[in-house]
Amino acid sequence: MAFLEIQNLVKHFGSTHVLEDISFTLEKGQVLAIIGSSGSGKTTLLRCINFLETPNYGKMRLNGETLFDAEDQATLKEDEIRKKRLHFGLVFQSFNLFPQYTALKNVMLAKELLAKERPDYKANKKAIHQEIEEQAKGLLVRMGLEDRMMNYPQQLSGGQQQRVSIARALAMEPDILCFDEPTSALDPELTGEVLKVIRGLKNSDSTMIVVTHEMEFAKHVADKVIFMADGVIEEWGTPEEVFEHPQSPKTQAFLNKENF
Amino acid sequence: MQQFLEQLPIVVDALNDGFLQTLKLFAVTLMGALPLGLLISFCSMSKFLPLKYLTKTVIWIVRGSPLMLQLMIIFYGPGLLFDFNPWGGGENGRFIASAVAFILNYACYFSEIYRSGIEGVPKGQQEAGQVLGMTKSQIFFKVTLLQMVKRIVPPMSNEIITLVKDTSLARIISLQEVIWAGEAFMKGSRGLSGLVWPLFFTAIYYLLFNGVLTILLGKLEKKLSYFQA
């Protein structure tokens, strides 16, 4: 049984069909790259996986547990969804850091709020906070931001902001970390530092889904690649299969344009 | 000049009393309208359409008609229509009626400012909170609220300064605020009569108080300038 199973996912916005019958699986520790031109549905797929959109049809299972089933109302409850979201982390294209908090506080905030639900919170308040702070600092150091912890987002470069947002997502210890075009809002000279961090995460065995326009990155870092066009998966395979021997004419056309 | 200097302490004393009532109305309105406005703004953004449109209609009526008229309707209306006076008599009754009218009126204006502030916070902020497992109320209080406050300080400052001056409208139902106190010296008050200058003199109170408010609100704006939203 695969770690993540997506079955027959369908998403409509009114009469626009954004996702048509999407199915794929992902193994633990693998990196999946989703490529395709704008409007192909890649971002919507990622948003469905993170419960930011509700699919009209389909199922989603993680580690054997059904997280989402369009036909089972019990899986659609707001309270349930909030807990299930924590299986996934999402790094946004435009970072979406909280501007009123320092880098460190950005990483700590959600974890602190969640800790308040722990039964032992009142008794061990101090120790819990200390632990959360240590973890957050450790993550920021790992992101190469040891001198930037006390800076506010506006004082950081785009690349630094994106690294803070990766640390923020990692702080929740998600089973699968998702990236929505993590370098598209960055100047070319800043994309390198963010890609390097993501590459580093691969080496630490994180399971990741990366929606990207960086073909070189997809080729060299991903274990599996999905090429999407018009809301369907046109091609799904290893980077070698997709990039070297694409079967679908749409994939071939897309890759030709990209390699131009 | 001699005469003016003799009159001045008497007039200032009366105007001080009046201005105290002005301040009281100002403070009570603010304390009532700031939270009520937030509630109204949530109603006006509700996904439950009947509530949304009912709220929008109330806002339209309140913002679309003169506050002076609203004061008179609220104060005299119940007595004229139902032969019933909910406000009680005397200055206290006039104050309660004024406070109700002002709170309702200003809450509607504030609600629209809140709405613009809340809708101005990028959707990505809410989504970032959601994917981190925060609850709706955690997202509102820990993420959205301060960004909203920062956005609404300038328009809110405008409304608050307008409110200081608008309290003078309560004169129409004879609330004994500072304009009423100044005007009283024309007909006769505290042994003086036929004086027009005390009415003009009240402007100093408004100017000084609004000066202080402008400084305080400017400080708040500066305090929130440490981040960009």
Side-chain angles (χ1 to χ4, degrees), chain B residues 36-59 107-108 110-116 118-119:
Chain B
L36 182 63
L38 194 58
L39 189 71
I40 294 174
S41 81
F42 285 138
C43 293
S44 76
M45 291 184 283
S46 170
K47 282 187 186 127
F48 181 57
L49 294 181
L51 178 64
K52 175 175 165 166
Y53 290 114
L54 178 73
T55 311
K56 296 235 175 222
T57 308
V58 171
I59 294 175
C108 285
F110 288 168
S111 78
E112 288 292 279
I113 295 178
Y114 285 130
R115 190 170 65 86
S116 76
I118 291 169
E119 287 176 350

Side-chain angles (χ1 to χ4, degrees), chain A residues 212-227:
Chain A
T212 185
H213 285 297
E214 300 281 335
M215 291 306 137
E216 284 302 308
F217 175 79
K219 215 179 206 170
H220 295 115
V221 178
D223 299 295
K224 283 283 167 62
V225 177
I226 283 177
F227 170 71

Side-chain angles (χ1 to χ4, degrees), chain A residues 142-209:
Chain A
R142 210 167 129 199
M143 296 294 131
L145 293 166
E146 53 273 18
D147 318 326
R148 293 294 183 188
M149 293 187 191
M150 293 328 249
N151 285 110
Y152 289 94
Q154 94 230 26
Q155 300 166 322
L156 302 173
S157 73
Q160 290 168 336
Q161 289 191 48
Q162 192 59 301
R163 282 184 282 151
V164 174
S165 84
I166 293 172
R168 181 174 71 173
L170 285 172
M172 305 310 285
E173 299 162 70
D175 295 313
I176 299 180
L177 185 55
C178 304
F179 295 83
D180 182 14
E181 304 190 23
T183 57
S184 295
L186 298 176
D187 295 332
E189 67 262 31
L190 297 177
T191 56
E193 63 185 61
V194 171
L195 294 180
K196 201 174 119 200
V197 163
I198 301 174
R199 221 174 266 135
L201 292 175
K202 177 188 163 73
N203 296 334
S204 64
D205 257 358
S206 304
T207 314
M208 295 189 275
I209 302 177

Side-chain angles (χ1 to χ4, degrees), chain B residues 146-199:
Chain B
L146 195 62
Q147 295 184 50
M148 174 197 93
V149 169
K150 183 184 165 78
R151 274 160 200 276
I152 66 172
V153 169
M156 227 20 151
S157 303
N158 242 342
E159 277 310 307
I160 288 172
I161 284 168
T162 304
L163 170 61
V164 174
K165 297 170 292 173
D166 271 1
T167 53
S168 62
L169 289 169
R171 163 72 190 87
I172 202 70
I173 57 169
S174 297
L175 185 78
Q176 295 172 13
E177 44 68 67
V178 68
I179 293 278
W180 180 92
E183 213 184 331
F185 285 100
M186 293 202 245
K187 282 190 230 148
S189 167
R190 308 202 182 190
L192 300 170
S193 65
L195 299 181
V196 179
W197 68 265
L199 180 58

Side-chain angles (χ1 to χ4, degrees), chain A residues 47 82 97 99-101, chain B residues 125 127 130 133 142-143 228:
Chain A
R47 289 173 61 84
R82 185 172 78 88
L97 290 177
Q100 69 266 45
Y101 298 123
Chain B
Q125 290 290 308
E127 291 181 348
Q130 281 177 325
K142 298 287 179 179
V143 176
Q228 250 167 14

